Amino acid sequence: MTIPQLDKTYDPKTVEARWYRIWNDRGYFHADVHAPGQPFSIVIPPPNVTGSLHIGHALNHSLQDILIRWRRMQGWNTLWLPGTDHAGIATQNVVEKQMAAEGLSRESLGRERFIERVWRWKAESGNTIIEQQKKLGESCDWNRLRFTMDEGLSKAVVEGFVRLYEDGLIYRGERLINWCPRCLTALSDIEVEHEETKGKLYLIQYPLEGEASTALTVATTRPETLLGDTAVAVHPDDPRYRGLIGRRVHIPLTNRTVPIVGDPILVDREFGTGAVKITPAHDFNDFEAGERHHLPRLAILDHQALMDPGLLHAAGVDQGVIQTLGKLPVAKARPKVEQALRERESLVGVDDHKMSVGKCYRCKTIVEPYLSPQWFVNIQPLAEPAIKAVEDGRIRIIPEGWVNNYLGWMRDIRDWCISRQIWWGHQIPAWYCESCNADLIQRQVVTNVDGTTVTRITLLQGARAIVSRTAPSACPACGTQSLLRDPDVLDTWFSSGLWPFSTLGWPEHTPELQKYYPTSTLVTGLDILFFWVARMIMFGLKFMEEVPFRDVYIHALVRDAEGQKMSKSKGNVVDPLHVMDQFGTDALRFTLASMASPGRDVKLAEERIEGYRNFANKVWNAARFALMYLDGQTSATPAGARSFPDRWICSRLDHAIASVISELEAYRFDRAAAALYRFIWHEFCDWYLEMIKPALQDPQHPDAPGIRHTLVETLETTMRLLHPFMPFISEEIWQTIPHQGDSLVIQQFPQTNGERRNPEAERLYAWLEHAVSLLRTGRVLLNYPPGQQVSFYVAHDDATVQRLLHSIRPHLAHLSRGTAEIRSPDEWPKSKLLRLVTEGLSIGIAVSGDVDLKKALDRIVKQIEEQDKEMARLQGKLRNHEFVSKAPPDVIADHQSRLKSLQNDQDLLASSEGQLRSMLRP
């Protein structure tokens, strides 16, 4: 029998491309609704069509692929459905930048031609990330690739919108929204990036009506918005102002007075002066306060966030101030307002103040709260069932610590603005009769920077919409055929909220929908728990009357080695494409899995990936070693006839299988990876392969045939166990060893087998490891070269253990590179012997004439000093109440274990120090 050989070194580049092509061509990733097996399905969080694979994708997708490959190998009917999101604002910006370089604008093209151009860009460049996902080894069903604006999903979006509207859950109203004055569109909360900045806190006097000498001092960070104030609020229990509630104050720089209202929600008595201005048209909290107190809303900014002279006039602003501020942006208007307040002696103080500023996630323009007619989802009736689904356990959020965050946010949820003032996206299925709404449709001719003109259409509040699945032919009220479609598109999160079932064919009752819905697991980051996950839960319960997934596994964020957020400006970005080229895809995947600890951000450095590249090389070299000694004699060997090393490695393999399965069931990817690493590197490579070398290298050794069988059996099973984590190297190795089947992808995942377990062999190994470790410690203390043969003696207080040590004497001698004598200490030489004793085990190492005892003593003394410092450090941390109360339990346990190990080492070192001093005495 000819055994295939592996190249001397592992080359990921050639292996990865070849195997992925084979897997995909053979259809291993394709899901069959008619295939047997319990369904297990995941719909991928759709990356933006504009994007490329970043390290967050790599973590998220690697964990999903581990689950899918694992379940597929377990015999489940698996579907991993891929797709991309049309990413409305992001995609529109990309194409507009391309057009700007050509001297074009979307207005100059017109809506229809612009959308055609975006589709053309999507066809040419929009699927870059798909090819990068394949490079990561993702075993998606690419035949079912979906896009949020393909025909089927667009149909689902219209159906969802119309049903919600018909049920009274979608309405059009004038409310405050996040507005980007650069992109000229509403934004969702997640599209606003908040950053802390240095600002100012302005103290402004509002004279009391009827008492010009008395003024209420108000604290604000935005003095320019006082021109739109409609009230001043104080806390009703604040004795300083309680008597003023119901009276009125003058708004500086205007001819208006506004009421003083008591509001315990808005006002913090400890902040500023305890009195705050209310500007319902320019602040979200003020808007809510305005609703509570029935205040008017006075806007002073236009859609470009410029001071609007007409709006300022309507707000009663002094004419001179209007002339000063007219058409200025906020940043330039603020110092002008400050100057005007100083001139009128209304400004009594300006203090430095840290503040959070919201910016558009795409263009980084400061976002303005903007009063505008928009489409909203009445969210509360949808939120209540979504809260119950988590409370009653139909949906598990993992780690459990995020459950309270989810519930708290859902209980305080606000109506969702779903309209966007852009062109790329799902256009809202609403039409307006131009006759019935003649006074509510505004047309404004706007000249663009390129000289072209466009008619901007604004639908005022109160315009009556005709919501329909298809374009109506005539107005149902008056019969006219002059209808105008709503120009807005839907928030991207609306279509992605339907993702778990729209991708499976809803609203049609497809076989895929019946087979794979609800999906099994959603793997996602914390940053979109509320904005995407919550919406999927609400929509799933509303439209499917069933939760969209059973488990939500939330992984942490990937940061740099120092724990900082990665950014191009900082130069600390880890590019997954680069590290895959440098270290191999398997190394990156295993690194990310091993660091995916719940509740902890992944602090990633390239050195970690390099370390797991070394692990891949260790696996490769172990396989090469095994192949050197396979001679075709791999027939089954009865378990009872196995050698001690074989019985032990089979038992440890079973433990590893059990650990990997249980940890994956619990979504502890880090622990599953640790169990694999520990078994392969330490138990299989460091111990088992070393123990069996003498038998393999001796053609006449009686254990050799059985050892060869166990070796190939263990290696084959280990490759199946490793495959979900490191699919490429495991497949390449598996193909070279005796196996059945065509590919690891469709092999059975290892199962635990009680017959493999051998407690006796494990106990025997424990004493072997203990003795060898102690002997190696002695060699290091005496500075013996690794290859030098050493005479040593071994004994134990317990006669039973002593007999066990006798049975493994050849392994002791081989692993310790010396000659082993198992005797009572009374029979050991009386001099020139370093004795080490721990837990009843004694070893004696012969001190040969060429050992420099003085240098050995100096090393021991230095080691004792270093370990004293480390023990003091650990003891200090464990005595620190703050550290103990905040550190995760596994970190505490690790510190305690290290401290105990150091204490044991100190006992050995102290004993060795005393013995060497005795030997040095004349």
Side-chain angles (χ1 to χ4, degrees):
M1 175 179 177
T2 302
I3 303 295
Q5 296 298 311
L6 296 171
D7 292 339
K8 186 175 181 180
T9 57
Y10 175 55
D11 181 10
K13 291 181 181 178
T14 58
V15 169
E16 291 169 4
R18 171 165 45 85
W19 276 116
Y20 197 86
R21 184 174 60 253
I22 292 171
W23 293 334
N24 204 33
D25 290 348
R26 292 179 181 175
Y28 291 150
F29 306 154
H30 182 60
D32 181 357
V33 293
H34 303 296
Q38 183 177 345
F40 183 87
S41 56
I42 296 177
V43 289
I44 205 166
N48 287 355
V49 72
T50 58
S52 61
L53 195 74
H54 58 63
I55 200 67
H57 290 133
L59 170 64
N60 180 272
H61 296 187
S62 293
L63 299 183
Q64 291 177 75
D65 195 43
I66 289 170
L67 291 175
I68 283 290
R69 287 181 182 269
W70 169 52
R71 290 301 194 193
R72 184 186 291 121
M73 293 177 73
Q74 284 189 321
W76 295 55
N77 185 333
T78 56
L79 167 64
W80 189 15
L81 197 148
T84 52
D85 191 286
H86 64 278
I89 296 175
T91 304
Q92 181 157 311
N93 282 347
V94 167
V95 177
E96 283 194 276
K97 285 180 182 178
Q98 290 181 348
M99 292 169 55
E102 301 170 20
L104 300 173
S105 68
R106 62 179 167 119
E107 288 86 357
S108 64
L109 282 185
R111 183 169 192 146
E112 187 175 338
R113 289 176 60 201
F114 174 75
I115 291 174
E116 287 176 358
R117 171 134 183 179
V118 181
W119 275 110
R120 191 163 65 249
W121 172 87
K122 193 264 180 187
E124 295 169 355
S125 309
N127 286 326
T128 299
I129 195 169
I130 297 298
E131 295 307 311
Q132 295 169 344
Q133 287 176 246
K134 294 177 180 178
K135 184 174 175 62
L136 189 63
E138 298 180 28
S139 58
C140 298
D141 186 347
W142 298 109
N143 293 332
R144 288 189 165 89
L145 179 65
R146 303 306 301 268
F147 176 55
T148 48
M149 280 185 62
D150 66 27
E151 184 178 354
L153 269 68
S154 295
K155 181 180 179 181
V157 168
V158 171
E159 182 66 24
F161 185 96
V162 172
R163 286 196 196 183
L164 290 172
Y165 181 82
E166 291 173 346
D167 290 345
L169 295 174
I170 281 183
Y171 64 92
R172 191 170 185 272
E174 187 176 60
R175 297 179 64 87
L176 209 60
I177 46 90
N178 297 305
W179 180 264
C180 176
R182 154 60 178 77
C183 299
L184 298 180
T185 182
L187 300 174
S188 68
D189 290 340
I190 199 172
E191 292 165 333
V192 179
E193 294 180 345
H194 294 273
E195 63 178 50
E196 194 173 84
T197 185
K198 292 180 180 179
K200 301 288 184 180
L201 186 67
Y202 301 83
L203 303 178
I204 305 169
Q205 288 189 332
Y206 286 50
L208 199 64
E209 185 181 40
E211 297 182 34
S213 60
T214 303
L216 205 59
T217 302
V218 171
T220 181
T221 58
R222 300 197 63 186
E224 70 283 356
T225 63
L226 68 81
L227 304 174
D229 286 355
T230 55
V232 170
V234 298
H235 198 286
D237 297 331
D238 192 332
R240 295 174 293 177
Y241 307 121
R242 190 183 302 135
L244 298 179
I245 295 173
R247 297 188 63 178
R248 300 180 73 85
V249 290
H250 288 279
I251 301 297
L253 311 183
T254 77
N255 59 14
R256 291 187 296 112
T257 63
V258 298
I260 301 171
V261 298
D263 196 308
I265 299 174
L266 183 66
V267 180
D268 177 0
R269 285 187 285 179
E270 307 302 320
F271 177 76
T273 63
V276 297
K277 58 198 278 311
I278 301 180
T279 320
H282 293 286
D283 182 275
F284 288 102
N285 292 325
D286 291 5
F287 181 87
E288 299 296 334
E291 294 283 280
R292 289 193 294 273
H293 298 286
H294 309 291
L295 300 174
R297 306 163 185 161
L298 294 180
I300 57 171
L301 301 175
D302 66 12
H303 68 286
Q304 293 179 305
L306 304 177
M307 289 286 183
D308 187 290
L311 295 175
L312 293 172
H313 179 77
V317 178
D318 293 352
Q319 191 59 39
V321 174
I322 293 176
Q323 291 175 351
T324 302
L325 299 180
K327 288 300 178 182
L328 285 180
V330 168
K332 293 183 177 180
R334 186 171 297 168
K336 298 285 187 183
V337 171
E338 179 181 352
Q339 181 182 352
L341 289 171
R342 288 186 187 279
E343 291 172 354
R344 304 190 187 195
E345 299 183 346
S346 296
L347 185 66
V348 296
V350 180
D351 299 322
D352 290 335
H353 179 71
K354 288 184 179 180
M355 54 192 292
S356 178
V357 175
K359 295 185 176 181
C360 175
Y361 80 118
R362 281 294 162 191
C363 67
K364 310 307 177 187
T365 302
I366 293 178
V367 169
E368 283 291 337
Y370 186 61
L371 194 64
S372 170
Q374 301 284 344
W375 288 92
F376 293 88
V377 174
N378 178 13
I379 209 75
Q380 199 61 46
L382 297 172
E384 290 174 2
I387 290 171
K388 290 179 181 176
V390 171
E391 287 180 328
D392 63 23
R394 281 176 289 157
I395 293 176
R396 291 195 308 160
I397 295 179
I398 305 157
E400 199 173 321
W402 295 118
V403 170
N404 287 336
N405 297 63
Y406 169 86
L407 295 177
W409 187 82
M410 290 292 285
R411 288 172 181 144
D412 194 34
I413 197 169
R414 297 179 178 180
D415 283 2
W416 171 21
C417 176
I418 56 173
S419 45
R420 297 289 179 269
Q421 289 66 53
I422 57 176
W423 288 353
W424 173 245
H426 296 101
Q427 192 169 355
I428 290 175
W431 289 260
Y432 301 86
C433 172
E434 297 199 53
S435 175
C436 296
N437 296 289
D439 297 333
L440 298 171
I441 298 175
Q442 287 187 347
R443 287 179 169 85
Q444 178 186 12
V445 178
V446 178
T447 302
N448 300 307
V449 291
D450 59 1
T452 60
T453 60
V454 62
T455 301
R456 189 181 302 279
I457 297 174
T458 303
L459 297 163
L460 301 180
Q461 175 63 14
R464 295 180 298 279
I466 307 164
V467 173
S468 175
R469 291 172 177 82
T470 56
S473 57
C475 172
C478 69
T480 183
Q481 296 181 349
S482 181
L483 301 174
L484 173 70
R485 186 167 184 178
D486 196 307
D488 290 353
V489 301
L490 284 166
D491 177 11
T492 301
W493 297 105
F494 189 95
S495 53
S496 55
L498 304 169
W499 188 251
F501 48 94
S502 64
T503 52
L504 296 173
W506 186 86
E508 305 299 327
H509 295 287
T510 63
E512 285 82 2
L513 194 63
Q514 296 175 35
K515 183 75 173 182
Y516 298 113
Y517 189 92
T519 62
S520 306
T521 303
L522 177 74
V523 179
T524 187
L526 175 64
D527 51 340
I528 54 175
L529 171 63
F530 310 127
F531 304 104
W532 184 47
V533 178
R535 283 157 170 70
M536 286 190 289
I537 296 173
M538 290 187 283
F539 281 176
L541 290 167
K542 172 64 178 176
F543 297 120
M544 296 296 297
E545 298 182 349
E546 176 62 281
V547 296
F549 25 70
R550 303 299 186 191
D551 290 345
V552 178
Y553 171 74
I554 300 171
H555 60 72
L557 300 177
V558 185
R559 299 185 180 275
D560 71 7
E562 306 303 319
Q564 298 183 68
K565 186 177 180 181
M566 292 186 185
S567 70
K568 291 181 181 178
S569 60
K570 292 180 181 178
N572 63 345
V573 172
V574 175
D575 180 0
L577 300 171
H578 168 72
V579 295
M580 283 191 286
D581 283 338
Q582 187 174 6
F583 303 118
T585 297
D586 286 328
L588 174 63
R589 288 171 58 115
F590 202 88
T591 303
L592 294 171
S594 69
M595 300 180 75
S597 300
R600 288 196 222 165
D601 285 342
V602 175
K603 296 181 180 179
L604 185 64
E606 287 196 7
E607 292 77 10
R608 294 294 296 266
I609 306 168
E610 184 178 12
Y612 286 111
R613 187 272 313 274
N614 296 339
F615 174 60
N617 289 339
K618 186 85 168 181
V619 175
W620 185 261
N621 290 332
R624 289 187 70 245
F625 171 83
L627 290 171
M628 285 170 52
Y629 295 102
L630 294 182
D631 60 358
Q633 298 179 29
T634 55
S635 57
T637 301
R642 293 188 197 269
S643 67
F644 152 63
D646 291 345
R647 297 196 305 273
W648 172 73
I649 198 63
C650 287
S651 190
R652 295 313 304 160
L653 174 61
D654 206 63
H655 281 288
I657 293 169
S659 293
V660 170
I661 291 174
S662 64
E663 299 299 358
L664 287 180
E665 293 279 5
Y667 298 99
R668 289 304 303 260
F669 300 93
D670 56 332
R671 290 181 178 173
L676 273 166
Y677 186 94
R678 182 172 57 250
F679 172 75
I680 293 173
W681 190 296
H682 297 295
E683 295 175 342
F684 183 72
C685 293
D686 287 354
W687 286 92
Y688 176 67
L689 294 185
E690 285 300 319
M691 281 194 283
I692 64 175
K693 273 183 181 178
L696 292 176
Q697 292 167 350
D698 179 3
Q700 306 303 317
H701 198 290
D703 291 337
I707 285 175
R708 278 195 291 270
H709 168 74
T710 302
L711 175 58
V712 71
E713 178 185 68
T714 304
L715 185 60
E716 191 274 341
T717 305
T718 301
M719 291 304 100
R720 285 188 281 128
L721 192 63
L722 181 64
H723 181 71
F725 295 82
M726 304 179 84
F728 295 108
I729 192 171
S730 58
E731 180 77 89
E732 183 75 0
I733 291 172
W734 186 82
Q735 293 289 339
T736 65
I737 57 180
H739 63 268
Q740 293 181 341
D742 296 326
S743 170
L744 261 184
V745 175
I746 53 175
Q747 291 304 298
Q748 184 184 54
F749 195 76
Q751 297 175 306
T752 55
N753 179 353
E755 293 182 1
R756 287 198 197 100
R757 298 288 176 103
N758 196 311
E760 181 185 352
E762 298 218 29
R763 282 194 298 271
L764 192 56
Y765 166 79
W767 286 114
L768 174 67
E769 181 189 30
H770 194 176
V772 170
S773 298
L774 205 55
L775 285 162
R776 288 173 177 172
T777 298
R779 292 183 67 107
V780 171
L781 292 175
L782 295 172
N783 201 31
Y784 281 132
Q788 181 175 333
Q789 291 289 306
V790 178
S791 297
F792 57 88
Y793 303 84
V794 182
H796 197 278
D797 297 344
D798 188 311
T800 302
V801 177
Q802 185 83 338
R803 286 193 296 273
L804 292 176
L805 293 171
H806 265 293
S807 70
I808 57 173
R809 189 177 66 82
H811 296 297
L812 271 171
H814 167 64
L815 294 171
S816 302
R817 291 185 174 84
T819 57
E821 296 288 343
I822 314 298
R823 300 185 193 172
S824 168
D826 296 338
E827 303 174 33
W828 295 2
K830 302 302 181 186
S831 62
K832 290 293 183 180
L833 200 68
L834 178 63
R835 296 171 182 246
L836 302 178
V837 182
T838 177
E839 298 179 22
L841 180 68
S842 302
I843 68 162
I845 305 177
V847 180
S848 62
D850 57 350
V851 171
D852 189 330
L853 296 179
K854 180 64 172 63
K855 285 186 177 180
L857 179 61
D858 291 343
R859 281 195 304 274
I860 290 174
V861 170
K862 184 178 181 181
Q863 195 170 349
I864 290 173
E865 292 173 352
E866 291 174 350
Q867 291 199 352
D868 280 340
K869 292 178 182 177
E870 178 63 9
M871 287 172 63
R873 188 185 72 83
L874 291 172
Q875 288 168 338
K877 292 184 75 173
L878 291 171
R879 283 195 294 263
N880 185 318
H881 176 73
E882 185 176 357
F883 170 77
V884 173
S885 63
K886 292 182 179 179
D890 56 338
V891 172
I892 300 294
D894 178 66
H895 278 52
Q896 292 170 335
S897 175
R898 287 168 57 199
L899 182 60
K900 184 178 179 181
S901 177
L902 286 170
Q903 289 168 336
N904 290 336
D905 289 348
Q906 289 294 72
D907 293 340
L908 285 174
L909 290 170
S911 172
S912 301
E913 180 189 6
Q915 293 179 63
L916 290 180
R917 290 191 186 280
S918 294
M919 294 180 197
L920 284 167
R921 291 194 191 104

